[in-house]
Amino acid sequence: MAERDDVTIKDYKGAAGGWGSMEGMAHVLPEEKIGPDTLDALRRQNKPGGVMCVSCAWGKPAKPHIAEFCENGAKATAWELTTLRNTPEFFEQHTVSELQGWRDHDLEQAGRLTHPMKYDAATDKYVAVSWAEAFDAIGAKLNKVDAKKVVFYASGRASLETSYMYSLFCRLYGSHNLPDSSNMCHETTSVGLKNATGSPVATIQMEDYEHCDAIFCWGQNVGTNSPRMLHTLKAARKRGVEIVVFNPLRERGWEKFTDPQNPLQMAGAPATQIATQYHQVRAGGDISAILGILKIAIEEDTKARANGGEPILDHHFIEQHTVRFEEVADFARKASWDDITRESGLTREAIEDAARVYLKSKALIAVYGMGITQHRYGMDSLYMVVNLLLARGHIGRLGAGPGPVRGHSNVQGQRTVGITEKPELAPNDRLKQLYEFDPPEWQGWDTVESCRHIIDGTCDGFIQLGGNFLRATPEHEKMVKGWEKLPLQVHIATKLNKSHLHPGEESWLLPCLGRMERDMQETGRQAVSMEDSFSHIYGSVGKAEPASPHLLSEPAIVAGMAKATLEPNPNVPWDEWVGDYGLVRTAIENTYPDKFANFNERLWQPGGFWKGNPAAHRKWQTESGKAEFNVPRALNASGFADKDGRFALVTLRSNDQFNTTVYGYHDRFRGIHGTREVVMMNKADMEKLGVAEGDKVTLESDADDNVDRSVGNLMVVPYNIPEGCLGGYYPELNVLIPLEHHALESHVPAGKSVPVRVRTA
Ligand SMILES: Nc1nc2c(c(=O)[nH]1)N[C@H]1C(S)=C(S)[C@@H](COP(=O)(O)OP(=O)(O)OC[C@H]3O[C@@H](n4cnc5c(=O)[nH]c(N)nc54)[C@H](O)[C@@H]3O)O[C@H]1N2
Ligand SMILES: Nc1nc2c(c(=O)[nH]1)N[C@H]1C(S)=C(S)[C@@H](COP(=O)(O)OP(=O)(O)OC[C@H]3O[C@@H](n4cnc5c(=O)[nH]c(N)nc54)[C@H](O)[C@@H]3O)O[C@H]1N2
Ligand SMILES: [Mo]
């Protein structure tokens, strides 16, 4: 993390979108040295028959805007279609040890990988190899090690077709370790929503936003992470929809939006105000904030009914469709306002304001993101969101329901087609029938479990289909040591990143086509498909010239490894699948006939086809057969006690990054320019610590496990963030997160409340 000399900290007054977004693109696009392919891809982006953005998982409307892309989607497109190339000559010039010292940004800025490479320990360099050599050696190694100890990681971007083939390869090989980036992300949703409603995903669809009268949002940063959603929110505001936001930071996207496609707004007409209420909860404070709202609702309901008025709660729904309401009601009645206000960090008046909107609403959408899922008691935060919806019957009604905003563009879809370490979610009966083998029935390793094995030296091999696992995971220092001991590493990637630079016994770098690129196979140009946050499934076809003639598509790479590893199986026609992805879609349809009926025919349906969701029809596939209320186990989701000098560190994305991909050093909305080595701090805390703006401090782990973890040289930025909370950037601060500090049942690393203290000397 080298220092930059052009660091500035200055309040940003602009709205999300607007000319600022043009400026944001203007910073990054020239750096990528884009060609005409980028402009063509942007023109076709997120449109029926076009190419689906590689950035976020927000829906693609059936009737798109003229430009259906955002600042960050454009950056992601330019990043993929850059004309910069990372060739074997680059690796000839730089040893791996030298590259370890490079920053994330500079590694990826070296450009698109062009050749398959193998790490050569003698020279400490990656050297070019042929695909055949790579596949044969990987196959031979996989056959030497213990299949049960090999991890097949996937990073949410690869298509449904690739993901299906990848998970089948893993199971045929005899492994069930299929963690996905979802394990660091919305797994709390996948586990918690499934427990509570029977469905692991949003029940709402894009259209529901046209029918809601209120939107509550917890812990999602729309302006940076799903900017196209701002159009939906703007339209909702125009209809008078109330938008109530809970977030420790005042994120600009939730405050105001200038629509870049609206000439009047661009010419200076006022920006659209998005949030009608903004509540700066403490990190993990959502449980108590919602508890307060429920407490008010329950008391008002009791009063109304006693006076012969209309009940506030939906008793009919509660009785017919749910269990355990009384337990939650009892808990809320007994909760004290002292506890609620202390743990949420909000005043009683603020919670009453939010409750007023809730009590009035007939159709409420609950949006949330990592601010809910990435806490030790994240599941309890999520359950509180569900409790709030259930109490007034806001699931399975037009314009109402949970609307988690997923991360990677196909992260939800990967789970749909078999990338799961949980045997109960795998379609094992169908797989057995179709491919005549016994799929593993054991519980595979999720991300945390994979990390444990890597650290302990009991992982025999790690294949990553995209992503940057070593950089994205917690406990970074121990992870690096374990990573370097792996008997086998296979990285299927488009650009160089830190995970590639701590080689194990054998390390392979396999460069693939990106989604924006033309994918020619035996039967002609291929399309792929993905699923968005609303469970809509779309085709996507890349047209850009591939970055190098030596690239293979992801399906071809998966098939190449599978064929070199497995005995031939006449039921698994790897070559035919690679020649025609339509046949993979047919295989997906045969495996999941309910969700994917007529898959190939429906591929180009404008707006995508909906895979369906029983909870949206009030069919609850839960243990009790009903939607389930849950009493929270803690009043704050952080899972650690307040202690003098202890802070809850919130790890954040800047507006200039996509996960571990750092496009640049400007976080426009937060007014931080030229550096990512910062710690955002409340002024009162600065005073207590005796530090001033620009001072350098060290963050140290303050977890109860007494392990030393620290990151130094962080510049103090005074920030509007609740006292006791600090903000800083992921992935740089992952050094500070203990591996065992994760959401309890879902095992999502708890990156939104990391116990730390500040060392000033
Ligand atoms: N441009 C861009 N787009 C992206 C990504 C990217 O990196 N860049 N990443 C993609 C991926 S994989 C994902 S998962 C999503 C992530 O998108 P988000 O879910 O928005 O995740 P974060 O950026 O981590 O920010 C979470 C928000 O939660 C708030 N927060 C933190 N702690 C709490 C809390 O305790 N309570 C509440 N109420 N709020 C809290 C933070 O202030 C922040 O605004 O975005 C996807 N889209
Ligand atoms: N502290 C903290 N840690 C976090 C988070 C946090 O908020 N705080 N967020 C977590 C979340 S939500 C997530 S999703 C994870 C993200 O973790 P990952 O998904 O593992 O990481 P990415 O940064 O998205 O991966 C970037 C790499 O993907 C490769 N890539 C890009 N496009 C393609 C492609 O088309 N094909 C292939 N094969 N490779 C490609 C490139 O080589 C690039 O370097 O991080 C998690 N870690
Ligand atoms: Mo994510």
Side-chain angles (χ1 to χ4, degrees):
M1 291 204 287
E3 195 55 62
R4 310 259 301 192
D5 48 12
D6 49 353
V7 173
T8 61
I9 309 293
K10 193 162 177 275
D11 241 12
Y12 182 70
K13 303 264 189 282
W19 293 108
S21 68
M22 302 291 159
E23 261 174 60
M25 287 189 260
H27 271 306
V28 170
L29 268 50
E31 217 190 331
E32 298 297 344
K33 305 218 179 342
I34 57 171
D37 272 346
T38 303
L39 299 177
D40 185 58
L42 288 175
R43 194 176 50 74
R44 300 173 55 243
Q45 200 145 305
N46 300 325
K47 294 183 179 166
V51 65
M52 296 306 147
C53 183
V54 293
S55 192
C56 78
W58 184 248
K60 286 82 186 162
K63 291 197 190 93
H65 296 89
I66 295 170
E68 187 59 44
F69 63 86
C70 66
E71 169 188 355
N72 287 339
K75 286 181 198 166
T77 301
W79 178 93
E80 181 166 310
L81 294 183
T82 176
T83 53
L84 300 170
R85 295 290 176 268
N86 186 343
T87 61
E89 289 71 52
F90 171 88
F91 289 102
E92 186 49 47
Q93 286 157 14
H94 305 286
T95 63
V96 163
S97 309
E98 180 203 334
L99 292 170
Q100 281 174 3
W102 285 32
R103 296 180 304 178
D104 302 271
H105 168 269
D106 301 344
L107 292 172
E108 299 210 9
Q109 202 54 34
R112 289 283 302 276
L113 295 162
T114 58
H115 287 68
M117 315 285 292
K118 177 193 177 166
Y119 177 66
D120 174 43
T123 55
D124 187 29
K125 287 177 180 171
Y126 270 101
V127 292
V129 291
S130 70
W131 282 104
E133 186 186 335
F135 291 149
D136 286 350
I138 293 166
K141 187 76 174 184
L142 285 174
N143 277 311
K144 255 192 242 147
V145 297
D146 183 351
K148 293 197 178 66
K149 296 182 179 167
V150 175
V151 177
F152 287 64
Y153 171 67
S155 141
R157 190 177 291 203
S159 64
L160 293 171
E161 291 79 358
T162 306
S163 304
Y164 180 82
M165 291 169 68
Y166 188 65
S167 62
L168 182 60
F169 169 32
C170 174
R171 293 192 171 93
L172 285 164
Y173 168 58
S175 173
H176 204 222
N177 305 322
L178 280 161
D180 169 288
S181 63
S182 173
N183 286 121
M184 299 180 242
C185 181
H186 264 293
E187 193 63 12
T188 308
T189 299
S190 306
V191 176
L193 263 192
K194 175 99 176 72
N195 287 349
T197 72
S199 163
V201 297
T203 60
I204 55 163
Q205 299 179 63
M206 186 94 111
E207 296 71 48
D208 283 296
Y209 280 92
E210 294 163 22
H211 301 281
C212 63
D213 59 30
I215 298 170
F216 275 42
C217 171
W218 294 269
Q220 198 271 345
N221 184 8
V222 62
T224 287
N225 296 328
S226 52
R228 286 185 304 109
M229 181 183 180
L230 283 167
H231 295 282
T232 307
L233 295 174
K234 181 184 164 198
R237 279 298 302 130
K238 230 175 161 179
R239 292 193 299 108
V241 170
E242 295 261 12
I243 300 185
V244 179
V245 175
F246 298 85
N247 197 312
L249 275 68
R250 291 195 74 92
E251 303 285 27
R252 189 54 44 89
W254 286 108
E255 294 188 304
K256 48 185 175 167
F257 171 49
T258 294
D259 184 350
Q261 309 201 15
N262 179 326
L264 284 179
Q265 280 195 331
M266 289 303 273
T272 306
Q273 181 201 353
I274 300 289
T276 50
Q277 289 183 23
Y278 208 116
H279 302 294
Q280 288 181 265
V281 282
R282 287 174 63 186
D286 309 278
I287 296 176
S288 285
I290 299 173
L291 188 62
I293 300 174
L294 272 177
K295 184 178 175 68
I296 294 168
I298 289 162
E299 285 169 1
E300 290 293 317
D301 181 73
T302 309
K303 257 193 256 162
R305 291 202 296 164
N307 297 335
E310 274 288 301
I312 303 281
L313 304 180
D314 189 341
H315 294 279
H316 182 70
F317 175 84
I318 290 173
E319 214 156 280
Q320 228 187 352
H321 287 285
T322 71
V323 293
R324 291 200 296 273
F325 167 71
E326 261 318 313
E327 289 171 42
V328 170
D330 199 42
F331 188 80
R333 277 187 214 106
K334 289 184 182 143
S336 80
W337 278 107
D338 279 351
D339 286 347
I340 290 174
T341 52
R342 186 188 62 250
E343 296 300 331
S344 66
L346 301 178
T347 62
R348 181 168 175 171
E349 293 69 37
I351 296 175
E352 284 169 352
D353 286 344
R356 258 190 294 281
V357 177
Y358 173 69
L359 295 183
K360 247 189 359 216
S361 170
K362 296 200 162 47
L364 173 73
I365 289 182
V367 175
Y368 66 88
M370 299 299 99
I372 290 289
T373 63
Q374 294 178 335
H375 291 285
R376 189 147 179 84
Y377 287 97
M379 191 87 104
D380 300 71
S381 304
L382 169 68
Y383 284 152
M384 287 305 285
V385 171
V386 175
N387 290 341
L388 194 69
L389 292 170
L390 292 178
R392 301 201 67 226
H394 286 300
I395 301 188
R397 168 196 293 169
L398 188 66
V405 183
R406 299 271 169 169
H408 272 294
S409 52
N410 193 35
V411 64
Q412 189 170 312
Q414 294 198 322
R415 290 303 207 199
T416 306
V417 295
I419 297 206
T420 174
E421 73 288 354
K422 299 180 175 68
E424 67 277 15
L425 299 182
N428 283 346
D429 290 347
R430 293 296 297 160
L431 294 177
K432 197 170 178 163
Q433 248 177 359
L434 288 168
Y435 305 115
E436 297 181 15
F437 77 114
D438 291 317
E441 299 283 353
W442 43 279
Q443 173 69 43
W445 303 347
D446 57 20
T447 286
V448 166
E449 190 64 12
S450 298
C451 291
R452 284 186 194 129
H453 285 282
I454 290 166
I455 290 170
D456 289 353
T458 50
C459 174
D460 278 3
F462 196 98
I463 304 180
Q464 54 173 356
L465 176 60
N468 189 359
F469 191 80
L470 181 61
R471 193 71 170 140
T473 44
E475 204 78 83
H476 186 65
E477 284 180 1
K478 284 191 195 163
M479 276 295 289
V480 169
K481 292 199 184 103
W483 197 251
E484 289 174 344
K485 295 205 182 80
L486 283 168
L488 174 69
Q489 296 177 6
V490 179
H491 307 286
I492 305 167
T494 51
K495 289 198 181 171
L496 189 63
N497 66 44
K498 299 241 179 206
S499 296
H500 311 149
L501 296 172
H502 294 274
E505 228 173 81
E506 252 182 56
S507 293
W508 301 88
L509 194 44
L510 307 182
C512 62
L513 289 175
R515 190 186 297 161
M516 303 280 162
E517 289 168 325
R518 192 171 57 236
D519 183 356
M520 295 301 289
Q521 303 293 346
E522 212 161 291
T523 57
R525 185 160 64 201
Q526 302 299 310
V528 291
S529 55
M530 51 251 10
E531 175 181 333
D532 68 20
S533 287
F534 300 112
S535 308
H536 280 234
I537 293 162
Y538 317 75
S540 171
V541 62
K543 283 198 174 160
E545 184 67 27
S548 147
H550 307 287
L551 300 182
L552 289 186
S553 72
E554 289 178 323
I557 295 174
V558 172
M561 291 194 299
K563 284 200 304 173
T565 309
L566 308 171
E567 291 296 323
N569 175 337
N571 298 314
V572 190
W574 294 112
D575 287 330
E576 286 168 41
W577 281 354
V578 173
D580 179 357
Y581 300 172
L583 297 175
V584 186
R585 287 188 284 276
T586 304
I588 294 176
E589 178 176 344
N590 290 339
T591 312
Y592 306 91
D594 296 347
K595 293 173 184 150
F596 288 96
N598 304 319
F599 191 3
N600 278 303
E601 288 92 280
R602 291 195 293 167
L603 193 61
W604 302 112
Q605 195 166 303
F609 69 86
W610 190 45
K611 80 171 184 207
N613 184 332
H617 308 291
R618 299 191 166 177
K619 303 251 175 313
W620 317 104
Q621 296 180 343
T622 57
E623 240 170 56
S624 62
K626 296 198 169 178
E628 303 196 355
F629 280 92
N630 284 288
V631 175
R633 293 165 294 184
L635 288 182
N636 184 289
S638 74
F640 47 82
D642 286 338
K643 188 169 110 178
D644 226 15
R646 176 181 271 178
F647 289 86
L649 168 71
V650 179
T651 57
L652 296 159
R653 292 164 165 76
S654 82
N655 188 50
D656 240 4
Q657 79 183 81
F658 189 91
N659 297 338
T660 68
T661 292
V662 175
Y663 299 126
Y665 296 83
H666 300 288
D667 196 1
R668 186 172 78 252
F669 300 137
R670 302 198 182 109
I672 299 171
H673 298 275
T675 182
R676 295 171 52 82
E677 294 174 81
V678 297
V679 53
M680 298 165 222
M681 204 183 281
N682 183 290
K683 282 189 180 144
D685 286 327
M686 287 173 57
E687 250 168 61
K688 261 188 249 163
L689 290 166
V691 294
E693 173 170 351
D695 284 358
K696 297 288 169 69
V697 296
T698 298
L699 290 186
E700 293 177 339
S701 174
D702 196 28
D704 292 325
D705 61 6
N706 292 323
V707 175
D708 284 337
R709 303 177 185 87
S710 70
V711 178
N713 205 31
L714 297 168
M715 189 174 93
V716 174
V717 174
Y719 207 82
N720 181 359
I721 185 171
E723 274 180 71
C725 299
L726 302 173
Y729 293 120
Y730 137 73
E732 289 83 346
L733 299 181
N734 283 14
V735 176
L736 295 164
I737 309 178
L739 180 59
E740 298 307 328
H741 185 57
H742 55 71
L744 286 176
E745 289 80 3
S746 66
H747 302 177
V748 171
K752 294 295 182 272
S753 47
V754 184
V756 295
R757 54 182 178 265
V758 180
R759 186 151 52 86
T760 51

